[in-house]
Amino acid sequence: MTKKRPSDYMIKGIVNGYTALDNTIMKGVNSGVRGWNWLTGETRADLANKFLTISPILEVAGAYGIPKDTNESISKIFQSVFTGLIWIGMNHFQQNIYLKMDELERKASEQELKDISVLKHKEICKIFGPFEIGSSALLYPFFINPELRYLIPLGLSCNGISCYIMRADYIPPKKNVFRRAGEKLAEIVRDYKKPQLEPSRAIVD
């Protein structure tokens, strides 16, 4: 039997600690997705795609703070537009993947099955979620514009958050809470307006 080195215990401790942290985060994410679905009726993909829509807006604005030797407005505008097109294209591609994931998982859940491609993509999200959020903190010091330096890291964090959201349990879409409440109220009103039939009285001879 091979004797374990102290580094093995350290690595195991780090892995176990990260797993516990990740499980705690996902409990919160699942609660958030359920709350969003209850309020708006939207799925996790709808919520994740909102973060992917916000992300390139922040990143384009933050692109002004990238260069340390570029002060010309035209150059900065060109840079922002160029980087913006790249980010928008990448995020649009990712949004379509998220919608496909939801559709595949919906079909699988109706048959009480698990879709292998969805499970594989969740594993990818498990890597890229913390990576993008972590890299946003690492990139922050390289942007010199004090007003805009936080925007790109914030945009990257939105991408990371979307990965966490797509790892949540699938919940099918439904009507939002206001529409459900309105329909329930209309049903109560209809029941109230129905004519009330008096119970028949027994005739005693």
Short mmCIF file of all heavy atoms in Angstrom, two decimals, residues 62-71 76 139-150:
data_model
loop_
_atom_site.label_atom_id
_atom_site.label_comp_id
_atom_site.label_asym_id
_atom_site.label_seq_id
_atom_site.Cartn_x
_atom_site.Cartn_y
_atom_site.Cartn_z
N GLY A 62 -16.51 48.91 -21.28
CA GLY A 62 -15.25 48.76 -20.56
C GLY A 62 -14.03 48.71 -21.47
O GLY A 62 -12.90 48.89 -21.00
N ALA A 63 -14.23 48.46 -22.76
CA ALA A 63 -13.10 48.40 -23.68
C ALA A 63 -12.37 49.72 -23.78
O ALA A 63 -11.21 49.77 -24.19
CB ALA A 63 -13.58 47.97 -25.07
N TYR A 64 -13.01 50.80 -23.39
CA TYR A 64 -12.34 52.10 -23.37
C TYR A 64 -11.17 52.10 -22.37
O TYR A 64 -10.24 52.88 -22.51
CB TYR A 64 -13.32 53.20 -22.95
CG TYR A 64 -14.06 53.83 -24.10
CD1 TYR A 64 -14.12 53.21 -25.35
CD2 TYR A 64 -14.71 55.04 -23.94
CE1 TYR A 64 -14.81 53.79 -26.39
CE2 TYR A 64 -15.41 55.63 -24.99
CZ TYR A 64 -15.45 55.00 -26.21
OH TYR A 64 -16.13 55.58 -27.24
N GLY A 65 -11.25 51.27 -21.37
CA GLY A 65 -10.23 51.30 -20.33
C GLY A 65 -9.09 50.33 -20.54
O GLY A 65 -8.22 50.22 -19.68
N ILE A 66 -9.05 49.63 -21.67
CA ILE A 66 -8.02 48.61 -21.88
C ILE A 66 -6.64 49.20 -22.20
O ILE A 66 -5.68 48.90 -21.51
CB ILE A 66 -8.43 47.63 -23.01
CG1 ILE A 66 -9.57 46.76 -22.53
CG2 ILE A 66 -7.25 46.79 -23.43
CD1 ILE A 66 -10.06 45.79 -23.57
N PRO A 67 -6.49 50.03 -23.24
CA PRO A 67 -5.14 50.41 -23.64
C PRO A 67 -4.50 51.44 -22.71
O PRO A 67 -5.18 52.28 -22.15
CB PRO A 67 -5.34 51.00 -25.04
CG PRO A 67 -6.71 51.58 -24.98
CD PRO A 67 -7.51 50.67 -24.08
N LYS A 68 -3.19 51.36 -22.55
CA LYS A 68 -2.47 52.34 -21.75
C LYS A 68 -1.81 53.41 -22.63
O LYS A 68 -1.28 54.38 -22.12
CB LYS A 68 -1.41 51.65 -20.90
CG LYS A 68 -2.01 50.70 -19.86
CD LYS A 68 -0.93 50.16 -18.95
CE LYS A 68 -1.55 49.26 -17.88
NZ LYS A 68 -0.53 48.75 -16.94
N ASP A 69 -1.80 53.20 -23.93
CA ASP A 69 -1.12 54.14 -24.82
C ASP A 69 -2.04 54.68 -25.90
O ASP A 69 -1.60 55.28 -26.86
CB ASP A 69 0.08 53.45 -25.48
CG ASP A 69 -0.31 52.19 -26.23
OD1 ASP A 69 -1.47 51.78 -26.10
OD2 ASP A 69 0.55 51.64 -26.93
N THR A 70 -3.33 54.44 -25.77
CA THR A 70 -4.29 54.92 -26.77
C THR A 70 -5.21 55.94 -26.13
O THR A 70 -5.97 55.61 -25.24
CB THR A 70 -5.12 53.76 -27.34
OG1 THR A 70 -4.23 52.79 -27.86
CG2 THR A 70 -6.04 54.23 -28.44
N ASN A 71 -5.13 57.16 -26.62
CA ASN A 71 -5.95 58.23 -26.06
C ASN A 71 -6.89 58.85 -27.08
O ASN A 71 -7.72 59.69 -26.73
CB ASN A 71 -5.06 59.33 -25.47
CG ASN A 71 -4.24 58.81 -24.29
OD1 ASN A 71 -4.79 58.13 -23.44
ND2 ASN A 71 -2.95 59.13 -24.26
N LYS A 76 -10.39 54.46 -29.82
CA LYS A 76 -11.13 53.79 -28.75
C LYS A 76 -12.49 53.31 -29.25
O LYS A 76 -12.96 52.24 -28.88
CB LYS A 76 -11.31 54.75 -27.57
CG LYS A 76 -10.04 54.95 -26.77
CD LYS A 76 -10.34 55.75 -25.51
CE LYS A 76 -9.10 55.86 -24.64
NZ LYS A 76 -9.36 56.54 -23.36
N LEU A 139 -8.15 40.20 -14.05
CA LEU A 139 -7.97 41.18 -15.11
C LEU A 139 -8.13 42.62 -14.63
O LEU A 139 -7.62 43.55 -15.25
CB LEU A 139 -8.98 40.92 -16.24
CG LEU A 139 -8.73 39.68 -17.10
CD1 LEU A 139 -9.90 39.47 -18.06
CD2 LEU A 139 -7.44 39.82 -17.88
N TYR A 140 -8.81 42.79 -13.50
CA TYR A 140 -9.15 44.13 -13.03
C TYR A 140 -7.94 45.07 -12.95
O TYR A 140 -8.03 46.22 -13.41
CB TYR A 140 -9.85 44.03 -11.67
CG TYR A 140 -10.27 45.36 -11.09
CD1 TYR A 140 -11.48 45.94 -11.47
CD2 TYR A 140 -9.48 46.02 -10.17
CE1 TYR A 140 -11.88 47.16 -10.95
CE2 TYR A 140 -9.86 47.24 -9.64
CZ TYR A 140 -11.06 47.80 -10.03
OH TYR A 140 -11.44 49.01 -9.51
N PRO A 141 -6.80 44.66 -12.40
CA PRO A 141 -5.68 45.61 -12.26
C PRO A 141 -5.08 46.10 -13.58
O PRO A 141 -4.36 47.10 -13.59
CB PRO A 141 -4.64 44.80 -11.46
CG PRO A 141 -5.40 43.70 -10.83
CD PRO A 141 -6.49 43.37 -11.79
N PHE A 142 -5.36 45.40 -14.69
CA PHE A 142 -4.74 45.77 -15.96
C PHE A 142 -5.46 46.90 -16.69
O PHE A 142 -4.98 47.38 -17.71
CB PHE A 142 -4.64 44.53 -16.87
CG PHE A 142 -3.73 43.47 -16.34
CD1 PHE A 142 -4.22 42.40 -15.62
CD2 PHE A 142 -2.36 43.57 -16.54
CE1 PHE A 142 -3.37 41.43 -15.12
CE2 PHE A 142 -1.50 42.60 -16.05
CZ PHE A 142 -2.00 41.53 -15.34
N PHE A 143 -6.61 47.30 -16.19
CA PHE A 143 -7.36 48.37 -16.84
C PHE A 143 -7.11 49.66 -16.07
O PHE A 143 -7.33 49.73 -14.87
CB PHE A 143 -8.86 48.06 -16.87
CG PHE A 143 -9.16 46.73 -17.51
CD1 PHE A 143 -10.15 45.91 -17.00
CD2 PHE A 143 -8.46 46.30 -18.62
CE1 PHE A 143 -10.43 44.69 -17.59
CE2 PHE A 143 -8.72 45.09 -19.21
CZ PHE A 143 -9.71 44.27 -18.69
N ILE A 144 -6.66 50.70 -16.78
CA ILE A 144 -6.22 51.90 -16.08
C ILE A 144 -7.31 52.94 -15.93
O ILE A 144 -7.19 53.83 -15.10
CB ILE A 144 -5.01 52.53 -16.82
CG1 ILE A 144 -5.43 52.98 -18.23
CG2 ILE A 144 -3.84 51.58 -16.88
CD1 ILE A 144 -4.41 53.86 -18.90
N ASN A 145 -8.35 52.88 -16.74
CA ASN A 145 -9.39 53.90 -16.66
C ASN A 145 -10.21 53.68 -15.39
O ASN A 145 -10.92 52.67 -15.27
CB ASN A 145 -10.29 53.83 -17.89
CG ASN A 145 -11.22 55.02 -17.98
OD1 ASN A 145 -11.76 55.48 -16.99
ND2 ASN A 145 -11.40 55.53 -19.18
N PRO A 146 -10.12 54.57 -14.40
CA PRO A 146 -10.79 54.32 -13.11
C PRO A 146 -12.31 54.29 -13.21
O PRO A 146 -12.96 53.65 -12.40
CB PRO A 146 -10.31 55.48 -12.24
CG PRO A 146 -9.92 56.56 -13.21
CD PRO A 146 -9.40 55.84 -14.41
N GLU A 147 -12.87 54.99 -14.22
CA GLU A 147 -14.32 55.02 -14.35
C GLU A 147 -14.86 53.77 -15.04
O GLU A 147 -16.01 53.39 -14.84
CB GLU A 147 -14.78 56.26 -15.14
CG GLU A 147 -14.61 57.57 -14.40
CD GLU A 147 -13.18 58.09 -14.47
OE1 GLU A 147 -12.43 57.62 -15.35
OE2 GLU A 147 -12.82 58.94 -13.62
N LEU A 148 -14.04 53.15 -15.88
CA LEU A 148 -14.53 52.05 -16.72
C LEU A 148 -13.85 50.72 -16.43
O LEU A 148 -14.26 49.69 -16.97
CB LEU A 148 -14.34 52.40 -18.20
CG LEU A 148 -15.01 53.67 -18.69
CD1 LEU A 148 -14.62 53.95 -20.14
CD2 LEU A 148 -16.51 53.58 -18.58
N ARG A 149 -12.85 50.70 -15.57
CA ARG A 149 -12.03 49.50 -15.42
C ARG A 149 -12.81 48.31 -14.85
O ARG A 149 -12.41 47.16 -15.04
CB ARG A 149 -10.83 49.79 -14.53
CG ARG A 149 -11.18 50.11 -13.09
CD ARG A 149 -9.97 50.58 -12.30
NE ARG A 149 -8.89 49.61 -12.33
CZ ARG A 149 -7.71 49.82 -11.76
NH1 ARG A 149 -7.46 50.96 -11.14
NH2 ARG A 149 -6.78 48.88 -11.80
N TYR A 150 -13.92 48.56 -14.17
CA TYR A 150 -14.68 47.48 -13.56
C TYR A 150 -15.68 46.85 -14.51
O TYR A 150 -16.26 45.80 -14.21
CB TYR A 150 -15.44 47.99 -12.32
CG TYR A 150 -16.45 49.05 -12.63
CD1 TYR A 150 -17.77 48.70 -12.94
CD2 TYR A 150 -16.12 50.39 -12.64
CE1 TYR A 150 -18.71 49.65 -13.25
CE2 TYR A 150 -17.06 51.35 -12.94
CZ TYR A 150 -18.35 50.98 -13.24
OH TYR A 150 -19.28 51.95 -13.55
#
